[in-house]
Amino acid sequence: GRRTPFFITICAASVSGGMGISVKNYKRCFLRALLFLALLMAGSGLWQKRHPAAEMTNQQQIYAYLTGEMGFNAAAACGIMANIERESDFNPQVGGSFYGLFQWGGSRKSELIRFCEENGFDHGTIEGQMHYLEQELDNGYRKVKEHLLQTENTPEGAYEAGYYWCYYFEMPGDIETASALRGALARDRYWPDYNPSALLPFMGHIDSPEEGKAYTGTVVVKGWAICGLEITKVTAYVNEKQIECSFKPRGDVSSVHPGYPEGKEGFIAYIPSSCLREGGNEVVVCAYCGEAEYSLGKVSFTCSDLDITPPKISNVQITDITENGYTVTCTVEDENGIDRVQFPTWTEKDGQDDIDPNWEMSEQSRGIMSDGTVTYQVRTRNHKYEGGTYNTHIYAYDVAGNKQVAVTECVVPEREVYFGSVVSEGAVVTSEDALAVLKFVVKLAEPDERQALAADVNGDQSITSEDALLILKKVVKLLEFFPVEQ
């Protein structure tokens, strides 16, 4: 007779206790039950955000069947689903002479209809077509099934599965191009949504401020947030004013919740006094995983004696001026503590085209603090090796978010030698430069004074094959800076 739809069987298996079910079928039902419950229990997690409907979509039903009923891993399922998208866009009733999820045609379409009629399925449904696919793989396409069952559960595995399924099961026109496109679709679209980590639910907690607590002077917002995919940013809305949080590792969180991405579990931000008010305040914290947004909740607290005094900057000095850059030092003071001191820098040439776009928060533009003295190294390598006038502004932020600004200017000598540029004499390094250095090493050529300086990229006062190797690494982008530029 007609079999129970597989997505209902998933639920039934969890309460049947195995009564009247063979060991093989029980195991399969149990796996499907676990998968279905995982999708439902994702709750406030990624799945709910991306698929808010209570019922499973066609795509989700197919994924559940491929992984639960047929035993494919996530990467193999992604490869198959990428092909389904290109064949039918997950519509089991699309087509005419070529029909269904996989666009069966000719005798294969006739066999689909016959199989469904004999086994109590509707050939126009996902259920009927997925059961037919399973018997088709067990017979005429056994090699395809066995190959996909060996797929590595990685993004590369998803690509390979999408490519292989297209090449040996679908076999469309322009097969090479189509297979490559479907492999990329499996890796880039479906793997991010269906890899094992992506199904892990979102979790998080606001550690500070605490509900109902009274704060004086300064307030910090901190806590943790994790999702199957990496958290991309955390935003706090303090009295509806927005501030961005910085990430920090939280080993205490990763040890309790293994399997989640590590290194960015924690978040922290000092709340600027401009966002706070005397008396009652509230903060709402939201974490983001790409386009998906998750709320960690709202906390109400009170404030008094807010810190509104900016830090003090003094003793600004510029030293060690060379064609490679210069050093900026200053003294920064604040009664309640300094959060960070940033040094946005750009050259007069072409305006601010060389400024660090994230200078307000980035480590690249941050000074090093020690006993009230802050030091920052300006490197011309970060500014296209340009000489001439450099502008460096100093932004000092205290823990309450107050800031003070100072302005400096420095003239850097024009560069006479670009390290590594033995042949071209410009800032761009090529393989010809490495070849020229090797010729110097084996005495097939003699460098002039400029070439000798440019060739010594490791700074050991000699020209060796190591210099040539370092230049080649720079050419193929395995090296960002030469040792002499560090």
Side-chain angles (χ1 to χ4, degrees):
R2 184 175 182 84
R3 284 203 260 178
T4 305
F6 74 88
F7 50 87
I8 296 178
T9 305
I10 292 173
C11 299
S14 66
V15 297
S16 66
M19 297 177 62
I21 301 177
S22 69
V23 172
K24 177 183 178 182
N25 286 336
Y26 176 74
K27 288 181 178 178
R28 297 168 90 177
C29 289
F30 182 70
L31 287 172
R32 285 181 286 164
L34 287 178
L35 175 64
F36 186 71
L37 288 172
L39 298 181
L40 292 178
M41 292 175 67
S44 62
L46 181 61
W47 198 276
Q48 183 187 50
K49 286 292 179 179
R50 294 190 176 181
H51 307 285
E55 296 184 359
M56 295 174 74
T57 65
N58 288 2
Q59 190 181 118
Q60 293 167 13
Q61 290 181 41
I62 291 167
Y63 179 83
Y65 194 95
L66 290 170
T67 55
E69 183 76 14
M70 298 179 67
F72 292 120
N73 64 21
C78 289
I80 297 172
M81 291 196 299
N83 278 273
I84 296 175
E85 176 184 316
R86 301 300 295 173
E87 295 291 328
S88 63
D89 199 23
F90 299 96
N91 182 355
Q93 298 180 356
V94 70
S97 58
F98 291 89
Y99 182 78
L101 295 172
F102 297 93
Q103 291 295 280
W104 288 285
S107 61
R108 293 177 72 189
K109 178 183 176 183
S110 300
E111 280 298 307
L112 164 67
I113 297 172
R114 182 195 62 78
F115 172 85
C116 288
E117 288 178 349
E118 291 181 357
N119 290 275
F121 297 117
D122 181 346
H123 72 269
T125 64
I126 291 175
E127 179 188 16
Q129 293 182 19
M130 293 304 292
H131 278 100
Y132 175 68
L133 172 69
E134 185 173 13
Q135 72 84 33
E136 197 174 40
L137 291 176
D138 284 336
N139 294 284
Y141 293 89
R142 166 65 65 176
K143 180 181 177 181
V144 175
K145 180 178 180 180
E146 290 178 348
H147 185 88
L148 263 70
L149 285 173
Q150 301 302 315
T151 298
E152 291 187 4
N153 209 20
T154 63
E156 293 74 22
Y159 176 92
E160 200 276 336
Y163 188 102
Y164 193 91
W165 185 275
C166 180
Y167 203 99
Y168 292 101
F169 186 85
E170 300 294 351
M171 294 178 283
D174 194 8
I175 192 169
E176 293 283 355
T177 300
S179 298
L181 289 173
R182 296 183 189 193
L185 185 66
R187 178 193 62 207
D188 300 336
R189 179 178 299 176
Y190 289 97
W191 177 258
D193 278 356
Y194 288 96
N195 73 79
S197 293
L199 299 180
L200 293 173
F202 170 82
M203 291 185 285
H205 185 262
I206 303 172
D207 297 333
S208 172
E210 298 178 34
E211 179 66 32
K213 187 172 180 178
Y215 293 86
T216 59
T218 61
V219 185
V220 61
V221 55
K222 63 180 179 179
W224 58 271
I226 53 177
C227 188
L229 300 179
E230 187 175 87
I231 299 293
T232 52
K233 70 174 181 176
V234 177
T235 302
Y237 299 89
V238 184
N239 299 322
E240 300 184 352
K241 295 180 180 179
Q242 178 177 327
I243 60 173
E244 300 301 326
C245 299
S246 300
F247 289 113
K248 59 180 295 186
R250 285 284 297 268
D252 58 323
V253 174
S254 60
S255 63
V256 175
H257 301 288
Y260 286 85
E262 297 183 15
K264 296 172 62 177
E265 304 92 343
F267 59 85
I268 185 170
Y270 289 99
I271 301 178
S273 56
S274 58
C275 296
L276 298 169
R277 55 194 178 213
E278 296 282 341
N281 295 264
E282 67 177 26
V283 58
V284 175
V285 180
C286 295
Y288 296 84
C289 184
E291 296 297 321
E293 176 187 286
Y294 309 96
S295 174
L296 280 77
K298 180 172 68 175
V299 175
S300 298
F301 58 97
T302 61
C303 289
S304 61
D305 299 325
L306 293 173
D307 178 6
I308 59 173
T309 304
K312 179 183 178 182
I313 300 174
S314 60
N315 302 324
V316 179
Q317 298 182 41
I318 296 178
T319 57
D320 306 322
I321 305 171
T322 71
E323 62 181 14
N324 295 324
Y326 54 93
T327 302
V328 182
T329 58
C330 61
T331 301
V332 180
E333 302 170 284
D334 187 88
E335 289 186 0
N336 292 313
I338 301 297
D339 176 41
R340 65 193 188 279
V341 183
Q342 305 293 116
F343 293 79
T345 300
W346 68 97
T347 63
E348 288 287 345
K349 183 179 179 181
D350 299 324
Q352 293 187 343
D353 68 316
D354 56 327
I355 194 172
D356 175 9
N358 302 311
W359 66 264
E360 192 168 11
M361 293 295 297
S362 75
E363 293 290 339
Q364 177 182 322
S365 295
R366 186 165 302 176
I368 298 174
M369 292 186 287
S370 177
D371 297 327
T373 298
V374 186
T375 303
Y376 181 72
Q377 300 286 335
V378 175
R379 302 293 191 187
T380 57
R381 69 191 184 201
N382 296 322
H383 302 275
K384 302 183 289 186
Y385 296 100
E386 292 177 353
T389 302
Y390 276 64
N391 297 289
T392 297
H393 290 187
I394 305 171
Y395 282 73
Y397 299 85
D398 65 16
V399 293
N402 302 301
K403 70 180 179 182
Q404 186 63 270
V405 182
V407 176
T408 70
E409 185 178 281
C410 179
V411 177
V412 173
E414 294 290 343
R415 178 175 292 273
E416 296 182 4
V417 176
Y418 292 94
F419 291 110
S421 297
V422 178
V423 177
S424 60
E425 301 185 22
V428 177
V429 179
T430 70
S431 57
E432 290 186 5
D433 296 307
L435 179 60
V437 172
L438 286 176
K439 289 181 178 180
F440 299 154
V441 173
V442 299
K443 308 300 182 184
L444 289 177
E446 286 293 329
D448 59 28
E449 184 177 354
R450 186 201 64 80
Q451 290 175 324
L453 289 171
D456 183 21
V457 295
N458 64 2
D460 65 355
Q461 309 303 313
S462 62
I463 301 174
T464 66
S465 58
E466 181 184 347
D467 294 307
L469 179 59
L470 290 170
I471 291 173
L472 281 176
K473 287 184 176 181
K474 182 77 174 290
V475 171
V476 298
K477 302 188 184 307
L478 292 177
L479 185 70
E480 187 174 5
F481 305 117
F482 292 123
V484 73
E485 296 176 318
Q486 301 301 320

